[in-house]
Amino acid sequence: MTLQYRAAVLHSPMTPMPVETITAAELKPSDVLVRIRAAGLCHTDLEVIQGSLRYPLPIVLGHEAAGIVEQVGLSARGVEPGDHVVLSWNPHCGHCFHCDLDTPILCEQYLSEGPKGRSFDGECRAWLSDGRPLQQLMFLGCFGEYCVVSDQQAVAVPKEIPFDRACLIGCGVMTGAGAALNLGAIAHGDTVMVIGCGAVGLAAVQGARLAGAGAIIAVDIDSAKLGLALRMGATHGVDASKDDTLGVAKRETAGRGADVVIEAAGSASAFRVTTEAVRPGGHVIWLGKIDVNNDVSFRWGSLMQEKRIRRVSYGNARPRRDFPLLARAYLEGELMLDELISRRITLDEINDGFDALKRGETIRSVITFD
Ligand SMILES: [Zn+2]
Ligand SMILES: [Zn+2]
């Protein structure tokens, strides 16, 4: 039986995405068909819309989603129909050089197939109504009513967590909270600075709290976002448009600098602040992105003194371990997700949702499917 469903399709950068009826592929043995119930609008999707992140087109965007398993392939493992799942965008082969080194985010198959916008096996899983193959962002493409994914991308979570909150775990929350919790950089009582208080930065603030940080200095230029950061565990809010960010880092640490600085703003100036604000021997974690062809310059002295600088893409995620853990943290009141959702919209409102994200008005807009 051929499944047809509605999805938003990006045909060319900087143009609105029409919602079209597309056709899903038959399930391969290890595939899982997921009925999408909620999908968040992430900055990475916006980068593709704006053309700073280049993928083959036409493409279905969307890589932060939760839904219900509808059907599983003959040899699919880990989930069964009816399971509630959060989707992972880091499938990995498990037996290449980097998988053996326990860095699945660098899996050779993941890195070679990802830029093509296809499924993990290099083939497509959806077609336009005229028969042309559709690409899918980050092995997903969740801005539609359904999504065909590989079994390892569908991660079961407790059914008690609502879909609109669960979806956030799939990208922004995993990225931010994982950076704070999974790298072992934060020791109990540490002073942690988080630069940029969007969804990822707010998750990093909460991850720092859960990791036992002493002081958490949140930095942004938006007072509403700083207010949220303070509610989520930040002990200090710094308005970078008028306050002295480096001065606060030094003042709160007897002049040494923060033990850990997490960057989640995605700007050259924010990257520069990180290495100035961290103490000698401290950890810098970069999460934000700029166009890959741009240069960033640093004062050489800010890189000295044994500083440990690390770029991290997905919070060192092990989705089958981390997604249920984060979901339970939400259900136990330890992880705030409700506050990250600025708007709930329909699939047909997706272009307005991205306009609002572009204007910096939202933490997360979440598409919900009824
Ligand atoms: Zn994302
Ligand atoms: Zn691999």
Side-chain angles (χ1 to χ4, degrees):
M1 191 186 72
T2 307
L3 173 71
Q4 295 195 310
Y5 62 93
R6 298 175 77 237
V9 178
L10 182 73
H11 289 272
S12 56
M14 307 297 283
T15 59
M17 292 176 281
V19 175
E20 304 177 23
T21 298
I22 66 173
T23 305
E26 296 286 328
L27 294 193
K28 297 271 179 73
S30 61
D31 281 351
V32 173
L33 174 67
V34 178
R35 185 172 160 224
I36 302 295
R37 306 304 290 145
L41 275 54
C42 175
H43 251 279
T44 303
D45 303 302
L46 183 60
E47 289 166 31
V48 182
I49 295 170
Q50 293 181 318
S52 60
L53 186 58
R54 289 162 277 275
Y55 271 88
L57 302 169
I59 191 167
V60 180
L61 305 178
H63 62 281
E64 182 181 88
I68 303 173
V69 173
E70 191 95 346
Q71 202 184 330
V72 299
L74 288 173
S75 62
R77 291 183 294 184
V79 287
E80 53 190 48
D83 279 351
H84 290 196
V85 291
V86 171
L87 301 181
S88 156
W89 49 255
N90 180 216
H92 48 278
C93 76
H95 47 73
C96 71
F97 176 83
H98 289 290
C99 282
D100 280 343
L101 285 181
D102 202 22
T103 43
I105 200 75
L106 298 175
C107 167
E108 290 166 7
Q109 191 177 343
Y110 170 84
L111 291 182
S112 72
E113 298 305 327
K116 297 175 193 162
R118 297 294 179 95
S119 276
F120 198 52
D121 62 5
E123 296 182 24
C124 89
R125 291 291 190 278
W127 285 269
L128 287 168
S129 58
D130 63 9
R132 278 184 293 152
L134 261 171
Q135 327 301 323
Q136 48 195 109
L137 182 66
M138 296 160 80
F139 309 99
L140 292 169
C142 307
F143 292 151
E145 295 166 329
Y146 290 88
C147 195
V148 176
V149 303
S150 78
D151 55 0
Q152 56 168 308
Q153 292 180 266
V155 179
V157 294
K159 289 185 176 171
E160 291 77 19
I161 181 170
F163 292 111
D164 55 359
R165 274 140 276 184
C167 75
L168 306 175
I169 291 171
C171 184
V173 169
M174 183 70 250
T175 300
L181 290 165
N182 286 346
L183 301 176
I186 299 174
H188 194 81
D190 271 357
T191 295
V192 178
M193 174 174 272
V194 176
I195 302 174
C197 295
V200 171
L202 290 171
V205 165
Q206 299 196 70
R209 168 172 51 77
L210 292 168
I216 302 172
I217 304 166
V219 183
D220 205 290
I221 52 174
D222 182 319
S223 59
K225 289 175 182 168
L226 285 175
L228 265 178
L230 292 168
R231 283 176 61 195
M232 292 182 170
T235 54
H236 302 67
V238 175
D239 182 341
S241 67
K242 54 176 197 261
D243 300 335
D244 174 11
T245 305
L246 294 180
V248 175
K250 301 275 183 199
R251 190 186 71 211
E252 296 301 320
T253 55
R256 289 187 301 274
D259 299 297
V260 180
V261 179
I262 299 175
E263 186 282 336
S267 73
S269 58
F271 289 125
R272 268 191 291 274
V273 169
T274 59
T275 58
E276 299 283 356
V278 75
R279 69 164 166 81
H283 290 265
V284 169
I285 301 168
W286 288 335
L287 306 179
K289 297 199 293 288
I290 57 172
D291 191 303
V292 291
N293 294 318
N294 283 7
D295 292 331
V296 181
S297 62
F298 292 90
R299 187 178 68 82
W300 179 246
S302 76
L303 305 176
M304 307 299 284
Q305 300 179 310
E306 314 300 320
K307 292 173 184 176
R308 290 166 281 187
I309 301 168
R310 186 159 175 194
R311 160 77 204 169
V312 183
S313 296
Y314 201 12
N316 232 21
R318 300 294 181 276
R320 287 207 188 281
R321 174 195 67 191
D322 294 337
F323 289 1
L325 210 65
L326 291 168
R328 280 199 293 277
Y330 169 78
L331 293 170
E332 287 163 10
E334 296 288 327
L335 181 68
M336 296 165 71
L337 298 178
D338 304 32
E339 295 76 3
L340 297 177
I341 303 175
S342 316
R343 293 182 188 180
R344 289 174 180 78
I345 60 174
T346 65
L347 182 60
D348 293 289
E349 294 170 323
I350 188 169
N351 298 300
D352 293 339
F354 276 111
D355 286 343
L357 182 62
K358 215 182 302 176
R359 293 192 297 268
E361 292 171 7
T362 49
I363 304 290
R364 269 295 190 268
S365 294
V366 173
I367 299 172
T368 57
F369 296 81
D370 294 320

